[in-house]
Amino acid sequence: MKQCFGYVRVSTQKQGEGVSLDAQRNAIEQFAARNDIAITEWFEEKQTAAKGGRPVFGAMLKALRHRKAAGVVMHKIDRSARNFADWAKIGDLADAGIDVHFASESLDFRSRGGRLSADIQAVIAADYIRNLREETIKGITGRLGQGLYPFRAPIGYLDNGGGKPKTLDPATAPLIRRTFELYANRQHSLRSLRGELERLGLRNAHGKPLSKCGVETVLNNPFYCGIIRIKRTGAIYQGVHEPLISAALFERVQLTKADKTNKKVTKHNHTYRGLFRCAACHAAMTPELQKGHVYYRCQTQGCPTKCVREGELERVVQATLSRVRLTDEDVTKLTEEIEAWCETREEPDFAATAAMQLGQIDSRLDGLTDALIDRIIDNDTYSKRKEGMLLEKARIAEEVKLKQNQRNDPANVRRFLELIKCLAATFLFAQSAEKREIVDIATSNRRVLGKYVSLEPANWLQTVEDAIAGLYGAPHRPASRNGHHMRKKNVLALIEASKAKEATKLRSVLHHDNDNDADGALRRHRFQRRLDSY
């Protein structure tokens, strides 16, 4: 009795759960019984034969080359190979005297005619795969053109079957949105963000915490703002699914990721890192922890600004925010005035303006496609520019929707004024991250000169202050506008005086520095550049 191997195969793991493998085994066993063959070992594989590199198939070929069996029995030709490389390996077995049998094919693989018939069927099987691949790609491209994502939904979305858009997952969508917000606020690196997401309970499709690479994949995926990007080809499509985040937030995250010069997080993660600058040399004030206190120090050599305590920064911020004091009566009067203004104000047609802008973007997209067809630009450039234009379209649509929701609605103003009324108290009792966000949003021109800290209310906060002054007159203001400008002029005068003093010192050093070595020349060049900047 001739000893042979048995080889059965299905294309996917899911197909392996069915009855196909058992049916192939039964057919091979019946063939072996009729032809006096003993199956000594079974090789079972759950992988497509359209491509080479099947591990079980390779192990079987290796065993046959070592003559561990006289031959192999397979169910059909298309179960053995669907590509010419693997079919050639089967042909090499036959040329080496190893028997190749097909249970459902009446072929004599050792004869010329049988070999020719088998080769023809193998070509047909390979052509079937090529045609199937083309039709599959055509179907996928068609779905993408419709704005549908025909692959597994990313984290934060749910699959709803073929031909239907992905929908938000109520369990994970808020966590994905929080992921973008945390990173955009520059309070986390990828590593620390991964730990925070694990603490919040975000898991991948396998129920495990996201890896650092997984977090980066989420942050890089424009699917969350409504744009489909195919990673393998770089193709870009406009999706019809509901965006999870705004296009503006997605772009903020990309800019934060691209900024390699500033750390997203530090060991101590000081509250006001990067928000205050030296008024003399414009360098960022660097925080340091010394004896339990945080100091913000200018690191420029020779700069008159040395350091200032974090408590002093917070005192000045608190004083600035306290300048805007709103009572319930203030809120009521401002709301009444805005209601009267809204009744007489003619609303601009935001929709018409947006439609014109969107039309211009569509024209640019058509021109971009023409440039690709004419080979003026390559595919990578086309994909990047198209993604940028689609993000711009999404941002315009979001702005129109926001303005329509806020149109002539005094209730929005009342909610805004209620928040402003307790802004100083909110800052006083806020957590570190919240304090940083308040300072970043509500103040501007944050400078330190020597021990003196100066900052100004942001434009929107200044507008509120002006509105209060308009209701009650200048005496209601905690500080007059002239006094504010005088303090600003005094700070500027101090800065100019400091610069003049520093310039005089540099001229003296340059005049008396006679060292002719390389270090001396480099030192004089550095001093001269600083003097030129003054």
Side-chain angles (χ1 to χ4, degrees):
M1 181 176 287
K2 185 166 60 173
Q3 296 182 342
C4 292
F5 291 152
Y7 179 79
V8 293
R9 182 190 68 81
V10 290
S11 297
T12 63
Q13 292 286 340
K14 187 175 181 179
Q15 290 177 348
E17 298 172 359
V19 298
S20 178
L21 291 174
D22 292 336
Q24 292 180 48
R25 283 177 183 268
N26 292 335
I28 291 174
E29 288 172 348
Q30 292 174 13
F31 177 85
R34 292 195 305 267
N35 294 274
D36 197 27
I37 295 175
I39 303 300
T40 59
E41 185 176 353
W42 288 96
F43 290 84
E44 179 182 300
E45 193 147 44
K46 300 175 183 178
Q47 187 171 333
T48 178
K51 298 179 181 179
R54 287 174 287 162
V56 176
F57 180 75
M60 182 189 70
L61 293 180
K62 184 177 180 181
L64 288 171
R65 293 191 191 101
H66 287 84
R67 305 291 176 171
K68 293 184 178 180
V72 59
V73 183
M74 292 173 275
H75 183 224
K76 290 182 178 180
I77 290 177
D78 63 1
R79 295 298 90 192
S80 62
R82 286 185 182 270
N83 66 85
F84 294 135
D86 285 348
W87 181 250
K89 294 175 182 177
I90 293 174
D92 291 341
L93 292 178
D95 293 339
I98 298 172
D99 292 331
V100 179
H101 304 284
F102 298 99
S104 299
E105 311 283 354
S106 57
L107 295 173
D108 182 5
F109 210 73
R110 289 168 294 187
S111 68
R112 177 173 171 270
R115 185 76 172 269
L116 177 61
S117 297
D119 287 342
I120 293 173
Q121 292 188 43
V123 170
I124 293 173
D127 180 69
Y128 170 80
I129 287 297
R130 281 195 295 267
N131 180 67
L132 181 62
R133 182 184 294 115
E134 290 177 1
E135 292 301 317
T136 301
I137 292 174
K138 187 189 300 182
I140 290 174
T141 304
R143 287 299 190 194
L144 290 170
Q146 295 173 348
L148 300 172
Y149 190 64
F151 308 108
R152 188 175 68 181
I155 306 173
Y157 283 86
L158 296 173
D159 289 311
N160 298 295
K164 296 180 181 179
K166 313 298 182 187
T167 54
L168 296 178
D169 182 353
T172 58
L175 296 178
I176 293 295
R177 186 183 295 111
R178 184 62 177 157
T179 300
F180 280 89
E181 292 171 350
L182 288 172
Y183 194 81
N185 289 336
R186 304 186 66 87
Q187 290 299 296
H188 286 278
S189 64
L190 289 175
R191 189 180 302 278
S192 66
L193 181 58
R194 176 186 177 277
E196 177 66 13
L197 294 177
E198 183 175 356
R199 186 188 68 79
L200 292 174
L202 182 61
R203 298 292 185 268
N204 60 20
H206 304 290
K208 297 180 179 180
L210 269 65
S211 64
K212 179 182 174 184
C213 181
V215 174
E216 190 167 13
T217 299
V218 169
L219 296 176
N220 283 336
N221 193 352
F223 187 90
Y224 296 107
C225 65
I227 296 173
I228 299 173
R229 181 204 293 152
I230 305 302
K231 183 177 180 181
R232 182 178 178 184
T233 62
I236 301 295
Y237 301 90
Q238 179 65 60
V240 296
H241 58 277
E242 180 184 353
L244 178 56
I245 62 171
S246 67
L249 178 57
F250 180 78
E251 290 182 321
R252 276 175 56 199
V253 167
Q254 304 317 303
L255 290 174
T256 303
K257 287 180 81 286
D259 185 4
K260 304 299 184 182
T261 57
N262 294 322
K263 293 182 179 179
K264 279 66 174 183
V265 68
T266 60
K267 180 179 179 180
H268 299 291
N269 206 23
H270 298 294
T271 305
Y272 308 112
R273 175 178 51 85
L275 294 182
F276 286 83
R277 290 191 169 273
C278 175
C281 65
H282 306 292
M285 300 294 290
T286 305
E288 298 176 355
L289 183 63
Q290 299 288 344
K291 297 181 179 180
H293 296 285
V294 177
Y295 295 87
Y296 287 76
R297 187 181 304 276
C298 179
Q299 302 290 348
T300 304
Q301 187 177 4
C303 182
T305 300
K306 298 303 180 185
C307 67
V308 62
R309 270 195 183 188
E310 186 173 86
E312 177 63 14
L313 299 182
E314 293 190 341
R315 186 191 67 78
V316 176
V317 172
Q318 181 72 23
T320 302
L321 298 180
S322 299
R323 288 168 52 185
V324 183
R325 292 198 297 267
L326 286 174
T327 64
D328 293 338
E329 184 182 359
D330 296 337
V331 173
T332 302
K333 285 190 175 183
L334 283 172
T335 304
E336 290 174 353
E337 289 208 358
I338 290 171
E339 286 177 349
W341 174 75
C342 288
E343 290 176 358
T344 59
R345 179 173 178 257
E346 183 178 348
E347 280 288 340
D349 192 353
F350 293 117
T353 304
M356 182 182 66
Q357 294 174 336
L358 293 174
Q360 291 174 348
I361 294 175
D362 288 335
S363 298
R364 288 162 56 196
L365 282 170
D366 292 338
L368 189 67
T369 304
D370 293 339
L372 177 65
I373 295 173
D374 296 336
R375 297 184 179 180
I376 299 175
I377 58 176
D378 57 18
N379 283 322
D380 290 342
T381 304
Y382 170 79
S383 297
K384 289 178 182 178
R385 293 185 181 179
K386 183 178 179 181
E387 181 177 340
M389 292 181 188
L390 291 180
L391 284 171
E392 188 176 354
K393 286 185 67 175
R395 188 172 59 251
I396 292 172
E398 291 164 3
E399 290 174 355
V400 171
K401 185 177 180 180
L402 181 63
K403 288 176 180 177
Q404 287 177 342
N405 292 337
Q406 296 176 343
R407 177 175 291 182
N408 283 351
D409 187 1
N412 291 327
V413 178
R414 176 174 286 276
R415 286 193 292 270
F416 170 73
L417 294 176
E418 290 290 346
L419 291 173
I420 296 301
K421 186 171 67 174
C422 55
L423 183 60
T426 301
F427 174 78
L428 184 62
F429 297 105
Q431 299 293 325
S432 177
E434 295 170 340
K435 284 186 174 182
R436 176 183 177 86
E437 190 170 2
I438 292 173
V439 171
D440 191 23
I441 294 174
T443 66
S444 63
N445 297 330
R446 297 173 289 270
R447 297 286 184 266
V448 179
L449 180 64
K451 299 289 185 180
Y452 184 85
V453 181
S454 69
L455 52 83
E456 299 175 4
N459 289 337
W460 63 268
L461 192 58
Q462 187 67 55
T463 302
V464 175
E465 189 179 0
D466 293 342
I468 298 172
L471 286 176
Y472 295 97
H476 179 78
R477 298 168 59 90
S480 69
R481 180 176 295 277
N482 289 336
H484 172 66
H485 285 312
M486 285 299 295
R487 287 197 305 274
K488 185 175 180 181
K489 288 176 65 178
N490 290 338
V491 173
L492 293 175
L494 286 170
I495 293 173
E496 293 302 323
S498 174
K499 287 184 177 181
K501 184 177 180 180
E502 181 71 11
T504 302
K505 183 190 297 185
L506 289 173
R507 290 191 188 95
S508 175
V509 170
L510 287 170
H511 179 71
H512 294 93
D513 190 350
N514 298 318
D515 293 343
N516 294 321
D517 57 359
D519 292 339
L522 181 61
R523 183 171 59 252
R524 287 192 297 273
H525 176 68
R526 186 171 64 251
F527 286 165
Q528 185 62 50
R529 285 186 61 185
R530 188 185 300 177
L531 181 61
D532 292 341
S533 68
Y534 291 154

